[in-house]
Amino acid sequence: MRISVSSYIPGTSPVHACDARVKVLLLLAYSLTLFFVRTWTGLGLCALLFAAAVIASGIPVRRFFALLVPVYVIAAFAVVFNAFSLDVVAAAAAGAPGGLGDVSSGVLADVPPVALMGSFGLVPAGLARGCFFAVRIVLLVTASLVVTYTTTSTELTNALAAFLRPLRRLHVPVDDVAMVFSLALRFIPVTAEEFGRVHDAQWARGAAFAEGNLWERLRAWQTVLIPLFVGLFRRADSLAIAMDARCYGAPEVERTSLAAQRLTGGSVAVLALGLATCVALAAWL
């Protein structure tokens, strides 16, 4: 049993070369645009933007969609709960919800509800809205993968530190916050690897993870979770000792960076074009 964790994929594409701060800002703008776009045309253009980013990154498409089973489950729930209603007459009279949920139902907007069993039935307009929400959720998650696949954890940490730098005037420990963020990112694959190793070891010793009732299965997982947490605490203790030996947190010492962060003209142009596109989509579609 192994867990695949989204991580940086080395490459020399234009997306890899783009400044991490620009990618994070564009991801934020793209995410907001997905929630403001309310027409299928706008959603389709957002999908085209995502496809263009994937092509430019040079990463295989299967890497974006092969590990999204939990996301597919959430998207399926969105479709089901919008498509079916316990009272199709009331659902037809209510129409589309207001606010950010007021999205287009497309060609199914005028199709009447279909009663399947008493007042329970299918609402075609709700089905269309559910599909809209499902596509929005998938695009939201896969867009974040474009950033994580093409940006190292160090670059993400430096970008976070750059965004938080103005808070230094308020005596906020910006460097410490960035370090905690970096350690959290680095511990994700370590935790996944440790989990798989402990699970395989306990399974080889005869742990019955798929046998017995629910309570017996939960008790079997104790043999994995307890060693996992003990191992993580040992790693954290070793890391603390190593950081202390390297004088991390020494007073009156300004942290420096190996490579200075400078926005190039190309990165600024990409940021301006991306933000303008997102604003146009959110405002008109």
Side-chain angles (χ1 to χ4, degrees), residues 12-13 15 31 58 66 87 94 113 125 132 135 193 209 215 218 225 239 250 263 273 277:
T12 57
S13 69
V15 182
S31 301
D87 190 346
F132 192 101
V135 174
E193 181 181 356
F209 296 110
W215 177 247
L218 291 177
L225 298 179
L239 179 61
L263 279 175
L273 179 60
T277 302

Side-chain angles (χ1 to χ4, degrees), residues 132-194:
F132 192 101
F133 297 146
V135 174
R136 175 188 283 174
I137 293 172
V138 172
L139 287 178
L140 187 66
V141 176
T142 51
S144 65
L145 293 180
V146 175
V147 176
T148 57
Y149 281 159
T150 60
T151 313
T152 64
S153 59
T154 302
E155 292 173 342
L156 287 175
T157 302
N158 293 336
L160 176 63
F163 293 141
L164 297 178
R165 190 170 292 120
L167 296 179
R168 286 180 176 175
R169 297 184 178 182
L170 301 177
H171 303 288
V172 176
V174 173
D175 293 330
D176 292 338
V177 173
M179 176 59 67
V180 170
F181 180 75
S182 175
L183 292 178
L185 288 177
R186 293 177 185 273
F187 261 75
I188 291 175
V190 171
T191 303
E193 181 181 356
E194 187 76 11

Side-chain angles (χ1 to χ4, degrees), residues 19 41 55 57 59-60 65 68-70 90 96 101 135 143 146 156 162 178 190 192 208 219 241 243 246 250 252 281:
D19 192 281
T41 301
I55 294 174
S57 68
I59 298 175
F65 297 98
L68 298 182
V69 174
V135 174
V146 175
L156 287 175
V190 171
R219 292 190 61 182
I241 295 174
M243 294 174 65
R246 290 164 176 79
E252 299 180 359
L281 289 175

Side-chain angles (χ1 to χ4, degrees), residues 1 195-211 220-221 223-224:
M1 179 179 179
F195 179 85
R197 185 183 300 112
V198 174
H199 175 276
D200 291 348
Q202 298 296 353
W203 179 76
R205 291 177 173 87
F209 296 110
E211 298 178 4
W221 279 102
T223 61
V224 175

